[in-house]
Amino acid sequence: MRTVSDYFGSKVFDDRVMRATLSAEVYASLRKTIDEGSALDPGVANAVAEAMKNWAVANGATHFTHWFQPLTGITAEKHDSFITPSPDGSVIMEFSGKELIKGEPDASSFPSGGLRATFEARGYTAWDPTSYAFIKGKTLCIPTAFCSYGGHALDKKTPLLRSMEVLSRQALRILRLFGNNTARRVVSSVGPEQEYFLITKEMYDQRPDLRFTGRTLFGAKPPKGQELDDHYFGVIKPAVASFMDDLNEELWKLGILAKTEHNEVAPAQHELAPIYTTTNVATDHNQLTMEIMQKVAAKHGLVCLLHEKPFAGVNGSGKHNNWSIATDVGQNLLSPGDTPYENAQFLLFLCAVIKAVDDYQDLLRISVATAGNDHRLGANEAPPAVISIFLGDELTAVLEAIENDTPYQGVEKTQMRLGVDVLPKFNRDTTDRNRTSPFAFTGNKFEFRMLGSSNSIACANIMLNSAVAESLRIYADRLEQAEDFQTALHEVIRKTIRDHKRIIFNGNGYDEAWIREATGQRGLLNYRTTADCMPHLLDEKNVTMLTGLGVFTVDELRSRRDIMLENYCKSVTIEANTMVNMVHKRVAPAITRFTADLAKQAAEKKALFPDLACSYETELVTKLSELTDRITEKTDELEEAVLGLQDAEDIIAESVLIRDTVLPKMSELRIPCDRAELLTAKSYWPFPTYGDILFSVK
Ligand code: ADP
Ligand code: MG
C-alpha cells in the first residue's frame, strides 16, 4: 500500500530533489541563497532552471508560471509552456535561468492603488528561492514577489520578506547582547488554523447571494443551529471525511503539513491546521490550502465557503495565526528557559511583543480588516475589535513582581532579579483556556485570533514582525549603549511593563464591561469597522515605523490603504446590489404569489361556506402584505443609499457612506425579508433556507 511518506512532497522541488538533481557546487550555492538570502549567481540560476524543468516535465508538467500574490488577496498565475520549436518541426522543452528568476506578466489589471501608472503598466515578478517551487495540475509554479518597475511592491510577499528580514536583524542584535554569537538568523514561524464551511453544490447553486458574495444576505435562523454544541469535535460525516481524505492527500503531495482536522462549533463548519513553518512558506501554503480546499470540495459535489460570516446568527470563520520566533538552530525565543540568563532573554522578547502590540494595536486591527471580517469581530464568537494580550495569571504575576520589585508569590516566594534568579516555574497556558482573547500567549508562541478565514496571513504577519522588530530595535539601541547591561536590562523590562501593562487582560474579552474598561480608563483602541481603522494606516507613527524599518514606502502604504478601502466599498456594494436584485426577482414575487394564492383560497372557501371567517388566510395575507410594503420601502432606501455613493469625494468618504448608510439599510431590509420567510409556505420560498443549507452535507 502507498503510504503518506511515499508521496509526501512528491509535487515539490524540495531539498531532497535539489540534492538529487543539482551538482554539489550548484546545490551549495542555492542553499546559501535560501538560508542566508545571498544573491544568486546567474550560472547557478541556469543550472537550477534546467534541473527544475527536467524534474517538472518528468512529473507531467507542460507549463510553468510565476505564482504571485497581488493585492487582491488571492494568488495569480499566467502559464507559459516549456515548448520551443526546433528547425525540424518538433519541439523541445526549454526553461532558462532568466525565465526562472524574472517574469513580466502583463499585470495592468491588478490593483496597484496608483503605484503603476498605465504607461509603465508592466510590473515584474522575481523568484523567491526561500519557498519551494511546486507542480499544480500540469504547471510548475514558481513562488515569486511582484514589483513595479519603479521598485514598489505590488504584492503581499515583498513586504512580508522585508519584515522577516528586519525582525531577524533586530533580534540578532539582542541575541548578541546576551552573548549569542552563533545564531545567523532569527526566523518567525506561523501555524495558521483555518476554519471553513462545507455545503452541497446543489444548495449553493440556488443562492445568488452565496454565488456573488460568498455569504447569505437573507435567511431566518433555523429551528436548530449550534445551540446544542453537538457539532464541535463531533463525529465527522462520511461525505466530509471523504473530502478531508482527498484534501489531505493533495496538501501532502504539495509538502503542506496538514495535521489536525475537526468539526467546529457551527453545523457544517470545520477546521484544518498545519504544523507550523517559516512565515513566508506558511503564507504560501495557506494560500494554496484555501485554493485546494475549494477545488477538492468541487470534486465532491460540495462548496467550501471561506467567507468570514456566511450565515448571520451562526458562528463565523476565522484563522488563528500561531506565531513565534526562533533562531536558525531552532531555539524558540518565546519559550522560557532553564537558566536565569535564558529567562531574562525570554522576558525581554516577551516584553518586545507586549510593547509592539500596545504601540501598534491599530496596525494589527488594520491587518485583518475586511468587509467580511467586520461581521465577526466583536460579535461574541470572535475576539472583540479591541486588542489585548492574554498572558495567564502566573506570567502576569511574574511581570508585576518585576515591575514593583516585590517578591513573586508563586509556589515559593521569589525575588525577581533578572539574570540572577531562575524564573519560577509558572503554568504555561497551553490549554487554549481563554478563547476570548485576541492575542493569547500559549506557552511558547502567541496566537493572534482576529484574522478572518479568507484573509491572507501575510498582512497580519507583516505588521506583527515589523512591530516586534521596532520594539527590539529600541531595546537594542538602549542596551548597546548601557554601561551595565544587567541594570539596563532590568530597567528596560520594568519600563515596558509599566508603560504597556494596559494591554494585558486575562479576563473575558466578550464581556461588555471589558470593552468599557478597555476603551475607557485603559485608553485602548476600538475600531469597529474597516472604514474606521483603515485611514490610520497613514498615521504618522505608523508611517515612521514602517518606512523607518524599510518594510514599506509611503507610496506603498497609501496605495494599500486605497486598495483595502476600495475592496471594502466594492464588496459591500456588490452585496447591496445582490440584495436588491434578489428582492425584485425572487423574494417579492414569491411572497406575492403566496399571498395571492392564500387570498384566492379564502375567497373560494367563502363562496362555498359563507359563514366561515377564514381568519388564518386573512391574517396571514394582511401580515405578508404589510411585510411586502416594508420590503419595497426598504429596498428603495437601499437603492438610494447605493446611488448616494456616487457623491463621495474620495475613497475614504465612500467607505464612511458604506458604513453609515449602505450597511444599515441592508440590515433593515433583511429583517422583513427574514420574517416573511418564516411566514411563507416552504414550497413558495425561492431559495433554500438556513436549515436546508447547514444540514445539507450527509
Ligand atoms: P490549539 O490552538 O488547537 O490548542 P496547538 O496550540 O497545538 O493547537 O497548535 C495550533 C497551531 O499552532 C498549529 O498549527 C501548530 O503547528 C502551531 N504551533 C505550535 N507551536 C508553534 C510555534 N512554536 N510557532 C508557531 N506556531 C506553532
Ligand atoms: Mg488555537
Side-chain angles (χ1 to χ4, degrees):
M1 209 184 96
R2 208 171 54 123
T3 65
V4 177
S5 35
D6 293 333
Y7 63 81
F8 184 87
S10 60
K11 294 184 170 186
V12 187
F13 191 75
D14 59 16
D15 197 67
R16 293 175 299 184
V17 189
M18 290 179 190
R19 217 185 266 271
T21 58
L22 299 171
S23 72
E25 303 85 75
V26 170
Y27 172 79
S29 169
L30 178 59
R31 202 63 249 175
K32 205 166 148 60
T33 303
I34 295 172
D35 296 337
E36 294 166 33
S38 52
L40 195 77
D41 196 292
V44 170
N46 272 326
V48 176
E50 181 66 18
M52 228 186 235
K53 178 214 63 188
N54 291 338
W55 167 81
V57 170
N59 283 284
T62 52
H63 289 67
F64 70 92
T65 183
H66 276 200
W67 185 76
F68 59 105
Q69 300 173 29
L71 297 171
T72 52
I74 50 176
T75 57
E77 45 197 80
K78 176 193 139 209
H79 299 178
D80 279 302
S81 74
F82 290 118
I83 60 166
T84 305
S86 58
D88 64 0
S90 66
V91 291
I92 50 167
M93 303 297 254
E94 268 191 345
F95 184 49
S96 68
K98 221 174 103 211
E99 286 170 308
L100 167 64
I101 289 178
K102 193 167 171 181
E104 299 187 27
D106 177 12
S108 47
S109 304
F110 289 113
S112 76
L115 276 183
R116 200 169 2 80
T118 21
F119 61 85
E120 51 138 6
R122 288 191 312 175
Y124 70 92
T125 49
W127 180 33
D128 166 21
T130 61
S131 181
Y132 295 136
F134 55 91
I135 297 173
K136 191 154 60 81
K138 286 179 173 268
T139 304
L140 168 68
C141 297
I142 299 151
T144 54
F146 178 38
C147 296
S148 77
Y149 270 100
H152 287 301
L154 296 172
D155 69 347
K156 299 191 187 238
K157 187 187 270 277
T158 308
L160 180 64
L161 291 172
R162 291 175 186 158
S163 75
M164 291 171 70
E165 194 53 47
V166 296
L167 179 61
S168 176
R169 201 178 319 138
Q170 300 304 334
L172 282 177
R173 287 176 69 193
I174 299 290
L175 290 180
R176 298 289 181 257
L177 287 165
F178 280 92
N180 179 336
N181 291 314
T182 51
R184 285 181 308 168
R185 276 179 90 76
V186 168
V187 198
S188 64
S189 307
V190 167
E193 301 166 59
Q194 176 74 50
E195 291 182 338
Y196 60 97
F197 278 84
L198 272 187
I199 64 171
T200 62
K201 172 109 174 22
E202 192 195 344
M203 293 296 142
Y204 176 84
D205 283 342
Q206 297 175 59
R207 297 279 318 211
D209 44 5
L210 281 177
R211 283 189 283 121
F212 295 144
T213 72
R215 74 174 178 115
T216 54
L217 300 166
F218 303 101
K221 254 187 103 147
K224 174 175 161 37
Q226 62 199 47
E227 299 80 3
L228 298 176
D229 278 332
D230 52 354
H231 192 256
Y232 190 52
F233 282 27
V235 176
I236 297 174
K237 291 176 181 167
V240 177
S242 142
F243 159 85
M244 286 176 171
D245 284 347
D246 271 7
L247 175 64
N248 284 334
E249 180 162 340
E250 288 306 315
L251 295 176
W252 287 334
K253 281 187 205 159
L254 285 166
I256 297 173
L257 295 156
K259 174 84 175 163
T260 36
E261 55 194 24
H262 60 79
N263 287 351
E264 261 300 328
V265 175
Q269 193 184 29
H270 313 279
E271 181 185 294
L272 178 138
I275 296 172
Y276 69 96
T277 179
T278 315
T279 311
N280 174 32
V281 174
T283 304
D284 288 358
H285 281 181
N286 184 247
Q287 293 296 126
L288 271 175
T289 300
M290 291 194 285
E291 182 185 327
I292 289 165
M293 278 177 162
Q294 284 165 311
K295 280 194 182 147
V296 173
K299 275 196 197 147
H300 287 249
L302 303 172
V303 174
C304 170
L305 301 177
L306 288 170
H307 193 284
E308 283 73 18
K309 194 71 178 175
F311 307 99
V314 175
N315 269 14
S317 301
K319 183 143 53 189
H320 290 175
N321 189 84
N322 294 275
W323 177 93
S324 70
I325 41 179
T327 64
D328 53 342
V329 293
Q331 185 198 2
N332 185 338
L333 300 174
L334 294 176
S335 193
D338 296 324
T339 67
Y341 228 55
E342 284 169 3
N343 288 160
Q345 182 182 301
F346 158 70
L347 284 172
L348 189 66
F349 279 103
L350 185 76
C351 281
V353 179
I354 293 170
K355 176 174 163 56
V357 173
D358 188 30
D359 283 341
Y360 299 101
Q361 299 160 46
D362 45 0
L363 289 181
L364 291 176
R365 171 67 182 92
I366 287 167
S367 76
V368 301
T370 59
N373 212 17
D374 283 357
H375 294 292
R376 255 182 92 238
L377 299 177
N380 275 3
E381 52 163 281
V386 176
I387 299 193
S388 63
I389 299 182
F390 169 83
L391 286 183
D393 293 338
E394 276 113 321
L395 192 51
T396 307
V398 169
L399 296 188
E400 268 164 16
I402 297 172
E403 183 198 356
N404 303 321
D405 262 335
T406 51
Y408 167 70
Q409 308 280 352
V411 184
E412 52 205 81
K413 267 192 174 183
T414 331
Q415 195 74 30
M416 293 302 305
R417 280 163 309 153
L418 286 169
V420 181
D421 296 308
V422 176
L423 199 62
K425 286 272 176 263
F426 56 85
N427 266 335
R428 299 185 191 184
D429 191 272
T430 49
T431 53
D432 220 0
R433 260 190 296 141
N434 190 333
R435 296 193 132 263
T436 67
S437 173
F439 204 97
F441 182 66
T442 50
N444 61 0
K445 64 181 192 292
F446 279 96
E447 187 165 336
F448 183 27
R449 300 195 175 118
M450 286 172 81
L451 286 78
S453 46
S454 70
N455 286 166
S456 157
I457 63 170
C459 306
N461 289 297
I462 293 168
M463 295 311 178
L464 201 47
N465 288 343
S466 305
V468 173
E470 178 69 359
S471 302
L472 296 173
R473 184 189 68 79
I474 293 167
Y475 291 170
D477 282 354
R478 168 82 189 79
L479 295 173
E480 282 166 0
Q481 303 303 321
E483 279 173 22
D484 174 40
F485 177 65
Q486 290 298 337
T487 315
L489 177 66
H490 198 97
E491 255 327 290
V492 163
I493 289 178
R494 271 180 69 175
K495 181 168 161 44
T496 303
I497 301 167
R498 203 173 304 136
D499 293 351
H500 299 286
K501 65 181 172 196
R502 64 170 185 167
I503 198 81
I504 298 167
F505 176 63
N506 294 325
N508 178 4
Y510 294 171
D511 199 345
E512 262 310 308
W514 158 241
I515 304 301
R516 279 196 303 276
E517 177 188 331
T519 54
Q521 81 220 48
R522 294 209 192 198
L524 299 177
L525 299 173
N526 185 13
Y527 293 134
R528 304 203 55 127
T529 71
T530 303
D532 294 313
C533 67
M534 203 51 78
H536 294 286
L537 183 57
L538 288 175
D539 282 0
E540 197 182 328
K541 76 169 178 59
N542 296 334
V543 174
T544 307
M545 185 272 279
L546 291 166
T547 59
L549 291 174
V551 174
F552 285 111
T553 64
V554 187
D555 289 340
E556 285 169 351
L557 286 173
R558 196 172 299 120
S559 80
R560 263 150 233 258
R561 178 201 60 190
D562 290 353
I563 290 168
M564 299 312 283
L565 282 175
E566 265 165 29
N567 217 313
Y568 171 74
C569 295
K570 280 183 192 159
S571 314
V572 178
T573 307
I574 293 170
E575 290 179 350
N577 289 335
T578 305
M579 270 191 119
V580 170
N581 189 280
M582 283 174 78
V583 167
H584 288 321
K585 302 273 183 219
R586 294 173 186 238
V587 176
I591 307 172
T592 321
R593 209 174 326 118
F594 181 53
T595 42
D597 285 355
L598 274 174
K600 213 167 98 200
Q601 278 166 28
E604 282 169 5
K605 259 168 101 178
K606 270 217 173 269
L608 287 173
F609 308 99
D611 292 341
L612 284 180
C614 292
S615 45
Y616 164 71
E617 291 90 343
T618 322
E619 274 173 33
L620 202 47
V621 167
T622 313
K623 273 190 209 161
L624 283 168
S625 301
E626 280 167 13
L627 284 170
T628 319
D629 291 347
R630 180 129 184 99
I631 290 170
T632 316
E633 177 197 336
K634 288 292 155 195
T635 310
D636 289 347
E637 287 175 17
L638 177 57
E639 283 185 280
E640 217 164 284
V642 172
L643 275 177
L645 296 175
Q646 290 169 1
D647 301 333
E649 269 171 24
D650 57 20
I651 194 68
I652 293 183
E654 188 178 338
S655 71
V656 169
L657 286 177
I658 289 276
R659 181 194 65 195
D660 296 343
T661 65
V662 180
L663 281 167
K665 287 294 163 205
M666 285 167 60
S667 305
E668 287 171 27
L669 170 56
R670 180 173 179 146
I671 295 167
C673 293
D674 290 357
R675 180 85 197 119
E677 181 200 313
L678 291 172
L679 296 178
T680 302
K682 179 140 185 80
S683 57
Y684 286 78
W685 200 249
F687 35 73
T689 63
Y690 273 22
D692 298 332
I693 305 172
L694 287 168
F695 298 95
S696 64
V697 179
K698 298 288 179 268

